């Protein structure tokens, strides 16, 4: 569990290096609050392995219901945690950085990194 914040920071750094504008939330509840306040969020990178009352799978379900235009990319370390209730792209770690960047790029619809979201 101690390495989970480091994994999340690595994903944030990776997205920023690929040219995406990144805002971070402490947990799923914070993410939902941000989505309610901001209209410039196009992709949410949800970590299923983060602590909190609501986990990444629940967050993906809430986003699908309340903000259907927002895309969700789920990261997890465990195959048994892949969300089934919401059809969302899921990456199982460890994986190459290019896999995450390619998924973010595909979700952004830009065809290349550098989207502003």
């Amino acid at each position: 569990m101690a390495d989970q914040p480091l994994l999340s920071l690595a994903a944030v750094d990776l997205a920023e290096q690929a040219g995406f504008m990144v805002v971070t939330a402490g947990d799923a509840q914070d993410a939902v609050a941000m989505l309610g306040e901001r209209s410039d969020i196009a992709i949410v990178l949800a970590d299923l392995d983060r602590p909190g009352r609501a986990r990444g799978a629940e967050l993906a379900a809430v986003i699908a219901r309340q903000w259907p235009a927002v895309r969700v990319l789920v990261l997890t370390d465990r195959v048994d945690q892949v969300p089934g209730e919401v059809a969302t792209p899921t990456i199982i770690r460890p994986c190459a950085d290019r896999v995450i960047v390619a998924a973010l790029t595909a979700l952004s619809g830009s065809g290349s990194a550098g989207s502003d979201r």
Side-chain angles (χ1 to χ4, degrees):
M1 192 67 163
D3 65 337
Q4 295 309 319
L6 293 177
L7 290 172
S8 295
L9 287 176
V12 166
D13 288 343
L14 182 61
E16 288 177 334
Q17 290 173 7
F20 292 90
M21 181 185 73
V22 176
V23 294
T24 60
D27 59 22
Q29 289 77 22
D30 289 346
V32 168
M34 271 191 206
L35 285 165
E37 295 169 358
R38 299 179 63 135
S39 62
D40 63 337
I41 298 173
I43 302 170
V44 172
L45 184 59
D47 189 336
L48 289 187
D49 305 311
R50 295 281 296 168
R53 290 177 296 183
R55 296 191 171 263
E58 291 88 1
L59 176 60
V62 168
I63 291 171
R65 281 191 310 271
Q66 294 184 7
W67 299 280
V70 175
R71 303 293 177 232
V72 178
L73 176 61
V74 172
L75 298 178
T76 185
D77 296 332
R78 298 176 47 188
V79 175
D80 63 330
Q81 287 186 343
V82 172
E85 65 275 0
V86 176
T88 189
T90 301
I91 295 175
I92 299 169
R93 296 178 294 216
C95 66
D97 290 350
R98 63 182 163 73
V99 173
I100 296 172
V101 171
L104 289 170
T105 300
L107 288 173
S108 74
S110 70
S112 64
S115 168
D116 63 348
R117 291 174 201 75

